[in-house]
Amino acid sequence: MARQIPLFKVFLPPEDALIPRLRDVLYSGQVSEGQPVYDFEKRFSNFVGLPNVLSFYSGTAALHTALLLAGVTPGDDVLSTAMTAEPTNMAIRHAGANVVWADVDPRNGNLTATSISEHMTPRVRAIMVVHYGGIPAPMADIQSIAEAWGVPVIEDAAHALGARYGNAPIGSNSDYTIFSLQAIKHMTTIDGGMLACKNPEHLFVGRKLRWFGIDRAAPRTEVDVDVVGYKYHMNNVNATIGLVQLDFIGPVVQRHIENGKFFDVALQSIPGIELCQWDPKAEPSYWFYTVLADDRDGLSRRLTEFGVANSTAHKRNDTHSVFAGSRRELPGLDRFYSRMLHIPCGWWVGDIDREQIANVIRHGW
Ligand SMILES: *Cc1c(COP(=O)(O)O)cnc(C)c1O
């Protein structure tokens, strides 16, 4: 039996690096939001190359807060994609807004600028963009539509830590970009989320929104709460895990990218599969590697037989009853969804593993 190669794997720092720091913070008497959280925000900000970063207890909390900062109010429309994990669209509903689907590019599962412009109306208050699987969406074209309509773009970069667009870190152009630090993302703090804002003035309100509307810098008995806030902040324990992760995560993310680039070459011109294609300005960070196959189920069975985990990973969100009111024809999604298959390309995929994966696919099914 060939060795098993998982599709997802949790990366944690070595015990001797993590446990002493974790023990210190656990017994420090200060386990809620404090200095380790602020230190982590600063170091994460340097790591992703985006200046104004706030931490949250989850990516979903960061998304909800981004929508609130973007001025989305109940009854507004938010344009979004159904080809994503549920948190993207659930956060829109948390803000009380209606999800309006735009269609995706059958070559990569990302929203197309054409479909976004077809579905823009004066009711649309924000555009939510996902970089599916770590492949950056065509942000230049999307941004020009957003600017023409005067609405902000929120980038859900939960799959795209370390990706680049237009020779700059992902998130450099939009008003809001979120990252997820959930268990199986490129980097985890067990759970956590980060929000990068273009405008530093949004940080103050963002901090209030994440903690009951209270400005933590002001004396508690003098503060006036003027906004409905949430219990969304990150704590010192998760932040400490994040601080130690940052000592190790550079090469981890880099290995996703190297493996992805390996498959970009090794899987070319194989009968029965097509590789994703993307905007030339995009540099993916390959959370997983997506191939497109007419006989997707045959390929899937073959990979499973040879110990290579593979999956479609996400259910198209427009088929959930909770989003029934948003249904519309999405032919690009129909095509992508029926052909996509995700295969492992993360930090745990070694040189021998990736050769094995390529060989199984080359052999046919
Ligand atoms: C993981 C994920 C999120 C955020 O999830 P959390 O578990 O709340 O951190 C958001 N969007 C997408 C596409 C995701 O995969």
Side-chain angles (χ1 to χ4, degrees), residues 24 40 63 86 114 142 211 219 257 276 314-315 335 352:
D24 286 352
F40 176 57
L63 276 171
E86 287 75 5
T114 312
I142 293 172
W211 204 61
I257 295 172
C276 289
H314 301 109
K315 185 173 174 190
R335 176 139 179 92
I352 294 172

Side-chain angles (χ1 to χ4, degrees), residues 67 76-81 88-89 92 98-103 111-113 115-121 123-129 145 151-152 154 328:
L67 287 153
D76 286 342
D77 287 350
V78 175
L79 267 195
S80 185
T81 171
T88 310
N89 295 310
I92 296 172
N98 310 310
V99 175
V100 176
W101 305 124
D103 202 5
L111 287 178
T112 65
S115 179
I116 289 175
S117 64
E118 270 168 27
H119 298 300
M120 284 302 295
T121 70
R123 293 171 55 91
V124 173
R125 195 60 196 260
I127 303 172
M128 176 73 83
V129 176
I145 299 167
V151 298
I154 300 169
R328 68 156 39 123

Side-chain angles (χ1 to χ4, degrees), residues 11-20 244-245 248:
F11 176 84
L12 282 177
E15 252 184 270
D16 58 348
L18 179 60
I19 299 300
V244 183
Q245 284 284 42
F248 295 89

Side-chain angles (χ1 to χ4, degrees), residues 58-60 63 84-85 87-88 130 156 158-159 180-182 185 191-192:
S58 71
T60 310
L63 276 171
T84 183
T88 310
V130 174
D156 178 344
H159 299 176
S180 168
L181 304 174
Q182 184 267 340
K185 301 295 160 65
D191 260 319

Side-chain angles (χ1 to χ4, degrees), residues 59-319:
T60 310
L63 276 171
H64 182 198
T65 305
L67 287 153
L68 298 174
L69 289 171
V72 172
T73 54
D76 286 342
D77 287 350
V78 175
L79 267 195
S80 185
T81 171
M83 191 61 261
T84 183
E86 287 75 5
T88 310
N89 295 310
M90 207 48 89
I92 296 172
R93 297 297 291 274
H94 292 166
N98 310 310
V99 175
V100 176
W101 305 124
D103 202 5
V104 306
D105 187 333
R107 300 171 308 162
N108 55 42
N110 283 329
L111 287 178
T112 65
T114 312
S115 179
I116 289 175
S117 64
E118 270 168 27
H119 298 300
M120 284 302 295
T121 70
R123 293 171 55 91
V124 173
R125 195 60 196 260
I127 303 172
M128 176 73 83
V129 176
V130 174
H131 306 300
Y132 189 62
I135 298 175
M139 293 313 299
D141 293 345
I142 293 172
Q143 200 64 50
S144 27
I145 299 167
E147 275 163 25
W149 283 85
V151 298
V153 173
I154 300 169
E155 291 181 58
D156 178 344
H159 299 176
L161 182 69
R164 296 172 63 79
Y165 186 85
N167 220 11
I170 200 76
S172 298
N173 297 305
S174 300
D175 292 287
Y176 309 95
T177 300
I178 77 93
F179 298 92
S180 168
L181 304 174
Q182 184 267 340
I184 61 169
K185 301 295 160 65
H186 284 90
M187 167 175 161
T188 184
T189 53
I190 310 309
D191 260 319
M194 303 305 273
L195 166 63
C197 301
K198 184 151 85 178
N199 182 350
E201 284 166 22
H202 287 146
L203 297 180
F204 176 69
V205 183
R207 282 192 194 99
K208 290 204 296 184
L209 287 171
R210 78 180 175 187
W211 204 61
F212 310 120
I214 299 171
D215 172 10
R216 284 172 80 96
R220 182 71 177 267
T221 50
E222 286 166 29
V223 81
D224 174 48
V225 175
D226 57 0
V227 62
V228 175
Y230 299 83
K231 163 85 178 173
Y232 277 176
H233 67 91
M234 180 177 274
N235 64 55
N236 285 350
V237 180
N238 295 104
T240 298
I241 295 172
L243 281 165
V244 183
Q245 284 284 42
L246 285 174
D247 292 336
F248 295 89
I249 210 68
V252 170
V253 176
Q254 206 47 46
R255 183 65 191 184
H256 281 255
I257 295 172
E258 279 164 23
N259 283 334
K261 288 183 167 169
F262 171 87
F263 286 135
D264 284 342
V265 175
L267 301 182
Q268 258 175 39
S269 318
I270 298 177
I273 64 163
E274 265 175 59
L275 302 187
C276 289
Q277 291 174 50
W278 50 79
D279 184 334
K281 290 198 182 72
E283 296 173 58
S285 64
Y286 304 91
W287 182 43
F288 44 51
Y289 195 88
T290 305
V291 296
L292 306 169
D294 288 335
D295 181 14
R296 186 252 313 275
D297 296 344
L299 172 60
S300 172
R301 271 194 302 276
R302 179 81 190 169
L303 286 162
T304 305
E305 206 181 310
F306 282 85
V308 182
N310 61 90
S311 165
T312 52
H314 301 109
K315 185 173 174 190
R316 52 187 287 175
N317 287 191
D318 58 331
T319 55

